[in-house]
Amino acid sequence: MKYLSHTSALLLFAAFAVCWLWTNWEDLGSLSTDEMKVSLLWSLTTFTFGVLTSAQSSCNTTTSINGTPFPSLLDVTAEDLAIGLESGLFTSADLVNAYIARISDVNDTLRAVTQLNPDALSIAQRLDAERANGVVRGPLHGIPILIKNNIGTNDSMDNTAGSYALAGAKIPRDSTMAAKLRKAGAVILGKTNLSQWANFRSDNSSSGWSAIGGQVIGAYFPEQDPSGSSSGSGVASSLGLAFAALGSETDGSIISPADASNLVGIKPTVGLTSRDLVIPISEHQDTVGPMARTVKDAAYILSAIAGYSPYDNYTSAIPFPNHTVPDYVAACNFSALRGKRIGIPRNVFDSSDIRQSAYGAILSTFDNYALPVLRAAGAIIVENTTWPGYDIEPVNRTSVVLDGDFISDLANYLSQLTYNPQNVTSLSDVREFTQSYPLEDYPDRDTGVWDQALDYFHGLNNTTPEFWGNYTLGLKLAGPQGITGSMKNHSLDALVMPTLFASHFPAILGSPVISVPMGSYPEGTEVTQNGRGDLNQTGVGIPFGIAFLAERWSEERLVGMAYAFEQRTMVRGRVLPLAGNVPSTELADVVSLRRKREVGL
Ligand SMILES: *[C@@H]1O[C@H](CO)[C@@H](O)[C@H](O)[C@H]1NC(C)=O
Ligand SMILES: *[C@@H]1O[C@H](CO)[C@@H](O)[C@H](O)[C@H]1NC(C)=O
Ligand SMILES: *[C@@H]1O[C@H](CO)[C@@H](O)[C@H](O)[C@H]1NC(C)=O
Ligand SMILES: *[C@@H]1O[C@H](CO)[C@@H](O)[C@H](O)[C@H]1NC(C)=O
Ligand SMILES: *[C@@H]1O[C@H](CO)[C@@H](O)[C@H](O)[C@H]1NC(C)=O
Ligand SMILES: *[C@@H]1O[C@H](CO)[C@@H](O)[C@H](O)[C@H]1NC(C)=O
Ligand SMILES: *[C@@H]1O[C@H](CO)[C@@H](O)[C@H](O)[C@H]1NC(C)=O
Ligand SMILES: *[C@@H]1O[C@H](CO)[C@@H](O)[C@H](O)[C@H]1NC(C)=O
Ligand SMILES: *[C@@H]1O[C@H](CO)[C@@H](O)[C@H](O)[C@H]1NC(C)=O
Ligand SMILES: *[C@@H]1O[C@H](CO)[C@@H](O)[C@H](O)[C@H]1NC(C)=O
Ligand SMILES: *[C@@H]1O[C@H](CO)[C@@H](O)[C@H](O)[C@H]1NC(C)=O
Ligand SMILES: CC(=O)N[C@H]1CO[C@H](CO)[C@@H](O)[C@@H]1O
């Protein structure tokens, strides 16, 4: 951008000079030789000055080299990166080096990345060599991506969910997610910090805190709560510490940090993406999805990671023929909202209490900005498509399901470890370790969630009758009395609501949600803190999003609508992180260093 403005200045100057010569050409003929000399000298001087200032500014900027513009890593898209890689402007190795430098630019303050992949550079070099030989695996070839530190890789990196109980543990192979990313040519750059155990441990912790990774901080406000549990993935993707990141969601863990970090988050249908060798909470609710800066970038990633996995039988429910998945990138269509009937489940989020709280700004942005945009794009807004089930969900119903699953699914995950340094095989083992290992910050950060699972619901797991009773009740509430019921009754194509309130019913039903940036807290917003009182949850400039949701397997339709909304609003470009949190290293820095090294300077 900076470079372009210098180019424009130069072009303007040149045009001005041509005009001047054109209009003064005849006069020039009548001038004396001395006058002509002075005049030409003047033109030459100003022109040279123009060239020099322009050249100097383009040297000073970190976005171009000798006039060749580089895309800004804060906002670069998959398509920009592919063009740069294909044209040889930069290599995948340059990208890895640039992103590693950007990670260290903000490492000490934001703690978004827990671990770098020591093999990232050699993997990138191998992918560069493939490209040089004419092999391009796909649109993500050579593009660095970060993954949440609960998605397993069989390499030098740990897979810990932020817990010392799993430090050093090894898995038998790459998780399906990691394998699919590698197959698509993406470079797994590192692991992102997260709310420990995906926020399934303590009643007194904070989003984005883990014993191993420390506290992630959001980039848009001092001590901003990054939300969770894919907190590091959110901050890293938002600041361009990689092209994008993978998160995982059980109830809000992709869309909430996407909300707080001005990102697009896709929480896929449970079963569309494999949970194989992902440290679990709940097989009935967990899902892995992209957190990216644009809908199309998220769609590129979703296309790469979606699909059948022999290691996760929930993926065998994918309804598309022959283990294929839709082309989510092709679904990005500017006209996708035209004629669509979109409902609003007001009873889930609209109350005078919320309107009078700091969250009121979200509701007014939703009503006064987002809904008019949707209408102008041709959508038919169906007001108040209430979800009766939302108001009658019994207390602790969700806990019974998540606790029951966690007890069974964690034991199953631990049984697959090929190296288990702490010999933990059950939730009881993990609790015992956590309560006795000083760096786990117990008892200040308690183990309340596990205490409920093990003590209050003594004997629970996901085969017991109480589990099934609560699980099937949830499906009724979130389905016929919620998402699918309201869609059927009002012939809807989708539902929308502020992201902050959107996760719960899709979590229960296993249905998808896409969050897109919608705005940020305005001047005058009260600063409020998280439950623990150590992070700021609301404050001027903190971003928030709008969520698009529908029935299971409806991602293709939702991607279209989310894209159509994004293209008309482009909120991400207007809501900026605090300047001090933006990493300074850009591609041009890395490329010019490499070129100097190559010519032996
Ligand atoms: C992050 O900071 C820590 C402590 O200052 C340092 O040990 C580590 O190497 C840094 N990581 C990166 C990726 O720069
Ligand atoms: C997992 O990593 C180990 C150590 O590098 C290697 O020996 C093993 O073959 C890998 N497993 C698979 C399935 O790639
Ligand atoms: C997956 O396997 C479990 C246990 O064998 C079974 O109960 C469940 O119905 C299967 N799910 C799907 C989607 O096939
Ligand atoms: C699915 O695969 C089978 C066997 O390879 C093929 O005959 C059939 O045409 C495919 N169907 C679709 C819809 O692609
Ligand atoms: C929404 O519908 C419910 C039930 O039909 C009704 O009680 C409520 O007043 C409506 N709210 C709005 C904002 O229209
Ligand atoms: C785990 O078990 C192994 C084998 O029984 C043993 O050698 C090791 O000391 C145990 N580690 C811990 C932390 O208990
Ligand atoms: C919760 O954390 C806060 C902040 O560290 C601490 O002051 C408080 O004592 C903790 N509460 C419990 C019940 O441990
Ligand atoms: C929910 O669980 C907690 C324990 O975690 C318990 O104290 C509370 O009584 C339960 N509530 C209901 C309504 O069962
Ligand atoms: C689940 O609980 C049942 C009943 O208490 C028990 O028989 C079974 O072994 C448990 N299964 C697991 C995986 O813990
Ligand atoms: C849900 O679980 C609780 C606690 O175990 C149990 O008392 C209740 O009956 C269950 N509900 C259903 C609908 O099965
Ligand atoms: C919250 O924001 C205020 C004002 O910007 C700042 O002074 C404070 O350090 C932040 N953190 C907390 C935990 O209040
Ligand atoms: C790569 C990175 O940022 N790692 C940091 C994550 O947080 C821990 C704890 O604060 C640091 O020690 C790491 O350096």
Side-chain angles (χ1 to χ4, degrees):
M1 269 335 214
K2 219 163 162 191
Y3 167 70
L4 284 182
S5 66
H6 292 298
T7 316
S8 330
L10 191 56
L11 283 176
L12 264 176
F13 178 81
F16 185 76
V18 168
C19 282
W20 187 87
L21 279 172
W22 181 262
T23 48
N24 293 287
W25 190 248
E26 284 180 10
D27 293 348
L28 282 178
S30 64
L31 293 176
S32 71
T33 337
D34 274 358
E35 280 171 318
M36 205 179 321
K37 269 188 202 151
V38 169
S39 175
L40 281 178
L41 201 64
W42 171 243
S43 304
L44 209 66
T45 311
T46 44
F47 185 75
T48 313
F49 181 75
V51 169
L52 282 180
T53 18
S54 174
Q56 194 208 5
S57 347
S58 62
C59 283
N60 283 344
T61 144
T62 52
T63 57
S64 70
I65 297 178
N66 301 336
T68 311
F70 284 76
S72 148
L73 291 180
L74 187 61
D75 275 303
V76 72
T77 65
E79 289 171 0
D80 294 337
L81 287 173
I83 290 169
L85 288 167
E86 196 54 35
S87 69
L89 183 59
F90 49 83
T91 63
S92 176
D94 292 331
L95 274 176
V96 165
N97 285 325
Y99 283 130
I100 289 175
R102 286 171 76 82
I103 290 168
S104 30
D105 286 344
V106 293
N107 174 23
D108 293 341
T109 47
L110 304 181
R111 292 175 289 276
V113 180
T114 300
Q115 208 171 20
L116 290 173
N117 182 358
D119 305 321
L121 193 58
S122 58
I123 292 170
Q125 284 161 344
R126 224 161 38 235
L127 290 162
D128 282 332
E130 274 186 23
R131 188 185 288 275
N133 288 328
V135 178
V136 178
R137 299 185 190 197
L140 298 180
H141 186 111
I143 294 186
I145 287 180
L146 288 160
I147 65 178
K148 186 176 180 178
N149 192 6
N150 61 355
I151 302 171
T153 48
N154 181 34
D155 55 15
S156 323
M157 287 188 287
D158 277 345
N159 191 41
T160 64
S163 167
Y164 285 101
L166 293 177
K170 289 287 166 208
I171 55 174
R173 57 177 187 279
D174 270 338
S175 63
T176 302
M177 288 299 97
K180 279 182 174 284
L181 283 179
R182 293 195 214 269
K183 188 163 169 246
V187 180
I188 298 176
L189 182 63
K191 297 280 187 93
T192 55
N193 209 346
L194 72 173
S195 311
Q196 196 188 31
W197 294 106
N199 197 27
F200 207 72
R201 164 188 155 177
S202 178
D203 293 326
N204 195 36
S205 194
S206 44
S207 283
W209 179 88
S210 72
I212 288 185
Q215 176 67 59
V216 181
I217 303 290
Y220 291 80
F221 194 80
E223 298 296 311
Q224 184 199 336
D225 186 335
S227 193
S229 67
S230 308
S231 322
S233 293
V235 173
S237 181
S238 188
L239 289 180
L241 307 187
F243 158 62
L246 291 190
S248 71
E249 172 150 340
T250 307
D251 188 338
S253 279
I254 288 173
I255 62 168
S256 301
D259 190 53
S261 278
N262 204 17
L263 287 176
V264 174
I266 301 184
K267 179 251 173 174
T269 302
V270 172
L272 183 66
T273 54
S274 167
R275 293 83 44 81
D276 157 48
L277 294 174
V278 177
I279 299 172
I281 292 177
S282 161
E283 62 181 274
H284 292 92
Q285 294 195 190
D286 294 350
T287 181
V288 177
M291 300 171 75
R293 296 181 294 266
T294 69
V295 173
K296 197 182 259 188
D297 284 348
Y300 273 115
I301 297 175
L302 185 60
S303 289
I305 61 175
Y308 176 73
S309 158
Y311 299 110
D312 179 353
N313 78 343
Y314 284 60
T315 61
S316 60
I318 293 177
F320 312 112
N322 285 3
H323 292 165
T324 61
V325 292
D327 183 342
Y328 299 113
V329 177
C332 293
N333 172 3
F334 190 78
S335 308
L337 283 162
R338 191 180 302 145
K340 292 293 189 308
R341 291 176 58 81
I342 299 185
I344 302 171
R346 289 267 172 205
N347 71 312
V348 174
F349 64 91
D350 199 342
S351 69
S352 54
D353 278 0
I354 288 177
R355 285 196 179 265
Q356 276 152 29
S357 75
Y359 297 143
I362 301 183
L363 269 61
S364 35
T365 306
F366 178 77
D367 286 336
N368 303 326
Y369 176 63
L371 295 185
V373 168
L374 293 172
R375 285 198 184 92
I380 299 141
I381 301 297
V382 186
E383 269 292 345
N384 203 13
T385 50
T386 304
W387 292 348
Y390 198 81
D391 299 323
I392 56 174
E393 188 188 1
V395 177
N396 290 346
R397 191 210 60 80
T398 287
S399 301
V400 173
V401 173
L402 298 186
D403 292 354
D405 264 347
F406 191 57
I407 288 168
S408 301
D409 296 340
L410 179 66
N412 179 39
Y413 176 82
L414 297 173
S415 75
Q416 296 179 73
L417 296 178
T418 50
Y419 177 54
N420 183 347
Q422 301 301 335
N423 301 325
V424 285
T425 61
S426 65
L427 179 56
S428 316
D429 290 350
V430 170
R431 178 170 69 170
E432 201 178 309
F433 173 87
T434 303
Q435 294 184 345
S436 59
Y437 195 77
L439 293 175
E440 290 284 329
D441 202 17
Y442 182 87
D444 185 90
R445 305 200 192 234
D446 58 35
T447 51
V449 174
W450 301 343
D451 301 341
Q452 184 192 41
L454 293 170
D455 305 335
Y456 186 76
F457 297 129
H458 182 73
L460 178 71
N461 66 39
N462 70 5
T463 65
T464 64
E466 304 80 36
F467 174 89
W468 281 104
N470 281 279
Y471 172 66
T472 51
L473 173 60
L475 292 183
K476 277 188 209 123
L477 297 174
Q481 299 186 59
I483 297 170
T484 47
S486 66
M487 290 190 67
K488 188 157 167 271
N489 293 344
H490 300 277
S491 307
L492 302 177
D493 297 291
L495 295 139
V496 291
M497 68 175 102
T499 301
L500 187 62
F501 309 96
S503 70
H504 190 54
F505 266 23
I508 298 170
L509 196 61
S511 59
V513 187
I514 302 184
S515 180
V516 181
M518 174 171 77
S520 63
Y521 288 101
E523 286 306 323
T525 297
E526 183 198 353
V527 178
T528 62
Q529 258 99 58
N530 63 346
R532 198 179 151 84
D534 56 359
L535 294 169
N536 290 324
Q537 245 173 6
T538 63
V540 182
I542 293 181
F544 50 71
I546 181 175
F548 292 80
L549 39 148
E551 80 283 6
R552 286 166 58 80
W553 317 111
S554 61
E555 284 82 357
E556 189 179 15
R557 188 185 333 130
L558 293 178
V559 163
M561 292 185 240
Y563 178 82
F565 177 82
E566 171 200 55
Q567 294 300 306
R568 286 171 173 79
T569 51
M570 302 303 262
V571 170
R572 186 175 152 82
R574 281 187 270 129
V575 176
L576 301 176
L578 298 177
N581 287 334
V582 178
S584 59
T585 307
E586 286 288 353
L587 260 173
D589 302 315
V590 168
V591 173
S592 69
L593 206 67
R594 167 169 63 79
R595 289 193 189 160
K596 277 183 196 150
R597 216 179 299 122
E598 279 166 4
V599 297
L601 287 175

